[in-house]
Amino acid sequence: MFIIGWVHAKYIWHGDILFTYSLFGILLLLFIRLRGKILMLLGMILYFVPNVIITVMMILASMVAGNGEFSLANETSARASYQAYQNGTYEEIREQRLMDWYLVNNPGNLFFMLFSIFPMFLIGGGAAKENWLRRVKELKRPFLVAIAITLLIGMFIKSTPYWLTRNWATEYSQDMLGGPLLSITYILLIALGTNHQRGIQVLRYFGPVGKLSFTNYLVQSIVSTMIFYSYGLGLYGQVSVIEGTFLALTIFLFQLIFSHIWIKYFYIGPFEWVWRTVSYWKWQKLMKRGENL
């Protein structure tokens, strides 16, 4: 994953997550012997305590400094990226891609990710150890309570930049607190869906996409960069939010159809096959020969 992530970031898309996930996956091995509840508690403390403190400090700073002109974007960097991706040569795009990747993945930010990304590994690992997804019926009531709490608080925090004021505090909190809380809501809703026959029938349509998640992720990058970068259709910066949403849904629909067809004839996706074969250093079974066809 580390190698594939680096190739992905260098030659396809700077927003790669595989490189970072591989590093934190290794770090998770140091904690994996802890009990599931301890892992989840540690992850929640590591995530929410620092981010709540930072949010409070930003609120206090905003109260002292007032609300002046606000922008999270670096205009100079944004213009350089826009020019390179829309009009640059492949080499110019590659250089810009590496610069944009380093802005996020430099050593300073990797330390910050210890309190933003790595806690999610701990929480997810703890939930897996506790077999939460296999105990949905047993945990239905706690799940419903958690959904109500995370939905209400998450929606409140996520909406503050729009009905309160837009400053560093509201923007930071809606990203770092509101977003994760709503993600918990969505995950638990999907988990509860597996407790009902109709929910299972709906979710079954998305099963093949999940089995090819690694492949679909990389294919999305390849297709999207060919649509937006200058060595493709060159539509970078020229697509509205509505058009972009429609485009994303269209790409996903094609992947949904492709995944259903692929999984009918193969056990796993092509990139999953490469990843597992190299990881286990053993030739993995790929094609179904007369089975379930």
Side-chain angles (χ1 to χ4, degrees), residues 40-51:
M40 286 190 285
L41 179 62
L42 182 60
M44 287 188 283
I45 291 173
L46 197 60
Y47 187 88
F48 286 105
V49 171
N51 284 301

Side-chain angles (χ1 to χ4, degrees), residues 171-196:
E171 285 291 331
Y172 183 86
S173 62
Q174 70 101 6
D175 274 343
M176 303 305 295
L177 298 176
L181 287 171
L182 288 178
S183 296
I184 293 172
T185 302
Y186 304 148
I187 292 169
L188 294 180
L189 282 172
I190 293 172
L192 286 176
T194 64
N195 198 37
H196 300 276

Side-chain angles (χ1 to χ4, degrees), residues 25-44:
I26 294 172
L27 184 59
L28 179 64
L29 295 176
L30 300 177
F31 299 84
I32 204 64
R33 292 187 180 276
L34 295 176
R35 288 187 300 151
K37 291 180 181 178
I38 298 298
L39 281 173
M40 286 190 285
L41 179 62
L42 182 60
M44 287 188 283

Side-chain angles (χ1 to χ4, degrees), residues 93-148:
I93 289 175
R94 189 183 68 81
E95 291 177 2
Q96 184 64 46
R97 186 188 296 120
L98 286 175
M99 290 174 59
D100 290 342
W101 179 83
Y102 187 75
L103 281 174
V104 176
N105 295 278
N106 61 69
N109 265 11
L110 284 175
F111 176 77
F112 174 75
M113 289 176 189
L114 283 172
F115 303 97
S116 58
I117 294 178
F118 181 61
M120 303 304 176
F121 279 70
L122 294 172
I123 295 171
K129 274 200 161 188
E130 292 294 314
N131 283 319
W132 272 18
L133 295 182
R134 297 178 181 273
R135 298 167 54 204
V136 174
K137 189 173 183 179
E138 172 191 345
L139 298 171
K140 181 179 179 180
R141 186 177 181 83
F143 278 10
L144 288 172
V145 172
I147 287 171

